[in-house]
Amino acid sequence: MTEPTVSAVIVTYNRLPLLKEAIQNVLAQDTTALQHLIVVNGASTDGTQDYLATINDPRVIVENLAQNLGGAGGFNWGIRQFIEKTSDDYVWVMDDDSMPTPTALTKLLDLFASHPAGWAASKVVWTDGNWSKMNVPAPIQGTAKTLLHDQTQWLPIKQATFVSTIFSREVIAQIGLPQKEYFIWGDDIEFTQRASQVSDGYFVRDSIVVHASQANPKPGDIVGELDEARLQRYHFEYRNRILTSRRRHAILKLLKTFAHTGLDFLKTLVLPGVHFRGRKLKIILQGTYQGVRFQPAIEYVTSPGEDAKIND
């Protein structure tokens, strides 16, 4: 049986020390399946472009963008390059603070050798060895607690984040590219939900990746956010989650999303000690309003010689 081939994609912006470590970890995988590493540099200003120019590993493809397109735009561009510039079977995506252990890719490929799956996600831990709270996939059956405590090696999932998630070329051809208009936050959830509509996805428990983020917060916790510089990100969170729910074509899910947003608004309004209360309330309202009207097209990309398309 021919060994599958893989392109990894790392998206980076102004985090050169982490990027160096991430590249080293990806290139050090214990399998020859890794044929390419596509590094998408979102116009970093910290010397990233100069550093990338010094890499002489033939597997590395450097994409220096003219502007920062956010994580969503970076993954959109990177997966496009996977389709257009390689013939590899799978694309393995991650942020620049994702540190895969040496067998992470091998364990993901073991799944595909045994199951007719179209995509999969690794187990993501934080730097202290505990689960990375913002990177727990959603299982098909049960809740996140099911995944945390169930010791099943390969567990069916319906969504995951872009911290060591892998997709087959066939799945990309069917569902298109990540939604670049999301800019940041939620693009991975929307994309993996799209993938789950056309193929089976699995959580792979023994594929381990360390998420070397500065902290280990719960996802989307605007109420407890203390970093003023991060506030604007929540605008995308509230806007993007509305479209993600709408695309699931389930009115109950959309109502739950609005209810969750309403609860966030209420907590921000009445709980004591909330920092930046007024700005947070405005962000929740504006983001949600824009989410109702937000409807960017999904881009589809094909291999060279085939016609591309764009669908709603």
Side-chain angles (χ1 to χ4, degrees), residues 116-160:
W119 65 283
S122 299
K123 177 180 178 179
V124 184
V125 299
W126 196 50
T127 54
D128 62 359
N130 292 314
W131 284 82
S132 178
K133 297 175 184 177
M134 66 177 66
N135 305 118
V136 180
I140 295 289
Q141 300 292 332
T143 65
K145 290 184 178 179
T146 305
L147 187 143
L148 294 175
H149 300 296
D150 189 323
Q151 292 305 305
T152 303
Q153 183 60 21
W154 297 325
L155 195 68
I157 56 175
K158 58 187 176 182
Q159 67 186 46

Side-chain angles (χ1 to χ4, degrees), residues 36-108:
H36 300 96
L37 168 55
I38 302 167
V39 181
V40 182
N41 170 28
S44 297
T45 57
D46 62 348
T48 291
Q49 183 168 339
D50 291 340
Y51 165 71
L52 292 174
T54 69
I55 299 177
N56 58 12
D57 191 307
R59 294 173 292 177
V60 177
I61 299 172
V62 175
E63 296 288 326
N64 290 307
L65 304 183
Q67 61 181 321
N68 177 25
L69 302 178
F75 286 117
N76 174 291
W77 185 263
I79 294 177
R80 178 185 293 276
Q81 306 316 302
F82 156 71
I83 293 293
E84 294 182 344
K85 294 184 176 179
T86 84
S87 59
D88 293 334
D89 301 308
Y90 297 95
V91 60
W92 183 31
V93 299
M94 65 199 77
D95 289 317
D96 53 10
D97 57 0
S98 304
M99 309 299 168
T101 57
T103 63
L105 179 56
T106 295
K107 298 302 183 181
L108 290 172

